[in-house]
DNA sequence: CTGAATCCAAAAGGATACTG
DNA sequence: CAGTATCCTTTTGGATTCAG
């Protein structure tokens, strides 16, 4: 399958719906939340401690966006204090499967990328252009 | 390097190599460049005009990062003025195939997402409080 | 516990000028 | 043409505080 139908919308136009969707999911925290919630239901605090580096503000913001897109379901239990659970919707689970492909790719090509980075560094560190020459002063 | 324990890396840790790779490719412009260059070679200016909304600065920056990761090959032809062509490496083409899956997903679920957004708007405009509640027993 | 609001620092990104 | 360098505005995001 070649899915050339996408080309009817010119993928590279900012008005293209597909691109607007990509703009949303091509996001660090969104991807990590998707991965965290795959086949699971987690509370806010569990999500926060599982995703290292995310702040309360960013997690909330990310979850709101994902809820808006229909990826996650937010359920509030009127306990004291309140309990809030997040889970993926069918749409979210579907996206998770796709993101898994990307994660798998990243995992499989990790070392190739690391090698490329080292090689690039070595190549650009040796810039033969106008290097600083005042160090002898 | 010995004693990797790579398989034990928690995906959600910021130090996880897989996550560092994702942080790089989970990026708007990187994805769009990948898509633009799939099976093609384009000059800088062609790339710029094809990807609506990207500035010269961001495109340069994105391309440098992708070159560093080994996704794109930059070829300079010493013409006057200079000609620079960008193409995907094998690694980049491999990534492109994976990104295609995501694009396909986005395309296929566009309308579902748009519907969800409208529904969310309608729901949050009406309900300033919690949307869903369940019995806590 | 979950999360909204505010303030502020840092990063991202645009515009412009200049170079080979 | 394809950048680099700089300035400056916008956006992002962290820390803190407060509330249901």
């Amino acid at each position: 399958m070649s899915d050339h139908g996408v080309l009817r919308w010119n993928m590279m136009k900012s008005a293209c719906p597909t691109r607007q969707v990509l703009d949303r999911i091509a996001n660090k925290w969104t991807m990590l939340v998707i991965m965290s919630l795959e086949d699971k239901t987690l509370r806010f605090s569990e999500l926060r401690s599982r995703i290292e580096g995310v702040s309360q503000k960013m997690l909330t913001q990310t979850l709101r966006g994902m809820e808006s897109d229909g990826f996650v379901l937010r359920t509030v239990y009127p306990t004291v204090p309140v309990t809030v659970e997040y889970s993926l919707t069918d749409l979210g689970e579907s996206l998770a499967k796709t993101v898994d492909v990307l994660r798998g790719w990243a995992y499989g090509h990790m070392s190739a990328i690391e090698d490329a980075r080292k090689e690039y560094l070595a190549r650009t560190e040796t810039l033969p252009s106008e290097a600083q020459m005042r160090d002898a002063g």
Side-chain angles (χ1 to χ4, degrees), chain A:
Chain A
M1 142 182 143
S2 45
D3 204 331
H4 282 104
V6 174
L7 297 179
R8 287 190 163 283
W9 249 105
N10 192 345
M11 190 60 209
M12 299 307 147
K13 298 267 183 177
S14 51
C16 169
T18 308
R19 175 162 156 185
Q20 301 205 332
V21 172
L22 279 182
D23 284 355
R24 177 62 61 89
I25 63 185
N27 170 285
K28 185 173 156 181
W29 301 130
T30 300
M31 286 216 181
L32 292 173
V33 169
I34 285 279
M35 293 180 197
S36 297
L37 289 179
E38 188 168 13
D39 301 322
K40 291 188 218 61
T41 291
L42 293 176
R43 296 179 56 176
F44 184 85
S45 50
E46 293 172 326
L47 266 177
R48 188 176 176 184
S49 59
R50 267 179 137 275
I51 304 178
E52 186 174 89
V54 71
S55 66
Q56 175 266 318
K57 182 180 177 179
M58 290 316 297
L59 183 54
T60 300
Q61 191 173 303
T62 302
L63 287 168
R64 291 293 168 277
M66 295 176 68
E67 200 190 348
S68 159
D69 285 349
F71 299 158
V72 303
L73 177 67
R74 177 174 179 269
T75 310
V76 181
Y77 297 91
T79 54
V80 179
V82 73
T83 301
V84 182
E85 285 189 351
Y86 290 92
S87 59
L88 293 185
T89 61
D90 287 347
L91 187 62
E93 290 287 355
S94 164
L95 176 55
K97 301 283 181 298
T98 301
V99 170
D100 266 345
V101 177
L102 198 57
R103 168 169 58 177
W105 187 93
Y107 183 70
H109 296 82
M110 230 163 47
S111 59
I113 293 171
E114 281 169 357
D115 288 350
R117 285 179 183 173
K118 286 173 193 160
E119 191 272 333
Y120 181 84
L121 263 182
R123 176 153 45 97
T124 51
E125 271 172 359
T126 325
L127 276 180
S129 57
E130 297 156 356
Q132 64 276 39
M133 300 180 170
R134 302 178 302 157
D135 58 327

